[in-house]
Amino acid sequence: MSFLNRLFKIGQAEAHSAVNQFEDPIKMTEQGLRDLREDLDKALHALAEVKALAIRSRNDAETARSKALDYENKAVLLLQKANRQELETAEADRLATEALTKKTQHEAQATRAGQDQEKFEASASQLNQNVQQLKQTISQWDNELRTLKARVTVSTATKTINQQLAQLDSSGTVNLLERMKEKIATEEALAESYGQIANESKSVDQEIDKALGADGSGQAATDLAALKAKLGMQKQLGSSEL
C-alpha cells in the first residue's frame, strides 16, 4: 500500500540526510506525515462509502423481506376471500399466484442484498483495520518527529562547535598565539638583559670615580695648575711677591 511505501521513505530520511546534505530529515519526516494523513483521509472516505453501501444493502434487504412478507399475507387474504366465496376461486388463485411470485422475487432480492451487506461489512472491517493502523503509525511518527527535532538540534550544535574547533586548528590560530607568547617572552628577556648591561656600565663608572676621589678635586687642581702655567700666571704671581 502507498502508506507503507511512504513509511519506508520516512524511515530512510535520516540515513539519506547523512549522505545528501540537501535532504533535511525534519522536513522529510514532516512531509511523510503529511502523506500519511492524506492516506488516512482517503481511507476514512473509503470506509465511510463502504459503510454507507453496507447500510443501504441492509435497508434494501429489510425492505425486500418486508415486501415478501406483505405479498405472502396478500396471497393468504385472497385465498381466504375465495374460501368465503367473496371472490371467485379461479381469480383468487391467479392473484394469489402472482402475489407469491412477487414474494419469491423480493425474497431473492433480500438474499442478494444480505449477501452484499456481508461483503460490504467485511470490506469495511478491513478498511477500518487500515485506518487504525494509519492512526497508530501517525501517532508513532508524531512522537518520533519530536525526538528527531531534539536530535537535530543537538547534532547541529555539536557539528557547529566541531567545525569551529577544526577550523581554528587548521587555520593555525593556536600556533600563532603560541608564537606570540614566545615572542613576548623573548622581548621581556631582552629588555631585562639590556637593563643588566646598563647597570653594569654604571657600576664601573662609579668604581672609577671612587678610585679617583669622591669629588674629583685632585684632578681638578692638577688641571687648574696646568692652565695657569699655560697662561703665565705663575710668573706674574712670583714677581708681585718680590
Side-chain angles (χ1 to χ4, degrees):
M1 296 178 64
S2 61
F3 76 91
L4 291 178
N5 293 332
R6 293 191 179 98
L7 178 60
F8 178 74
K9 178 178 64 178
I10 294 173
Q12 288 186 323
E14 187 174 3
H16 289 170
S17 65
V19 178
N20 190 341
Q21 62 179 349
F22 297 105
E23 292 184 353
D24 187 336
I26 298 301
K27 291 182 179 179
M28 290 191 67
T29 303
E30 290 174 340
Q31 180 59 49
L33 281 169
R34 284 192 292 270
D35 292 342
L36 285 175
R37 289 190 173 94
E38 288 179 2
D39 284 342
L40 178 60
D41 289 339
K42 293 176 182 178
L44 287 171
H45 183 70
L47 176 60
E49 289 184 342
V50 172
K51 281 187 173 182
L53 291 172
I55 292 171
R56 182 172 180 179
S57 296
R58 182 193 65 196
N59 293 338
D60 289 345
E62 290 177 354
T63 300
R65 283 192 292 268
S66 176
K67 288 183 177 181
L69 181 60
D70 183 57
Y71 278 111
E72 183 179 1
N73 291 332
K74 288 179 178 180
V76 170
L77 291 174
L78 288 168
L79 294 176
Q80 288 176 348
K81 289 187 72 172
N83 188 49
R84 293 194 301 268
Q85 296 182 354
E86 295 176 358
L87 185 65
E88 293 182 2
T89 301
E91 183 65 12
D93 289 345
R94 185 183 68 82
L95 293 175
T97 300
E98 291 291 337
L100 292 175
T101 300
K102 292 287 187 181
K103 172 197 171 187
T104 301
Q105 291 175 351
H106 285 294
E107 285 178 342
Q109 290 178 2
T111 300
R112 288 193 300 270
Q115 292 172 348
D116 290 342
Q117 179 185 353
E118 291 178 358
K119 292 178 182 179
F120 291 138
E121 287 178 348
S123 297
S125 177
Q126 182 61 48
L127 282 171
N128 186 61
Q129 290 180 7
N130 294 340
V131 166
Q132 296 307 317
Q133 182 179 356
L134 276 171
K135 287 181 178 179
Q136 183 178 359
T137 301
I138 290 171
S139 177
Q140 173 189 345
W141 279 101
D142 276 333
N143 294 331
E144 290 287 345
L145 179 59
R146 286 191 290 270
T147 301
L148 285 175
K149 285 182 177 179
R151 290 174 62 187
V152 167
T153 299
V154 173
S155 63
T156 300
T158 303
K159 181 179 70 174
T160 300
I161 292 173
N162 289 339
Q163 284 179 340
Q164 290 175 346
L165 291 176
Q167 291 171 358
L168 178 65
D169 184 63
S170 62
S171 63
T173 304
V174 173
N175 293 333
L176 175 63
L177 293 174
E178 290 293 338
R179 289 198 302 272
M180 292 302 99
K181 184 172 69 174
E182 182 67 24
K183 185 174 182 180
I184 291 172
T186 301
E187 293 293 335
E188 289 175 344
L190 187 60
E192 183 178 353
S193 175
Y194 277 122
Q196 291 177 357
I197 292 173
N199 289 333
E200 290 175 358
S201 298
K202 184 177 180 181
S203 297
V204 170
D205 289 339
Q206 289 175 347
E207 289 177 359
I208 292 174
D209 291 341
K210 183 177 181 180
L212 294 175
D215 55 359
S217 57
Q219 181 65 37
T222 302
D223 291 342
L224 178 61
L227 180 60
K228 287 182 178 182
K230 184 178 181 180
L231 297 175
M233 294 181 68
Q234 290 287 352
K235 295 179 178 180
Q236 292 175 3
L237 289 172
S239 300
S240 62
E241 290 177 353
L242 294 172

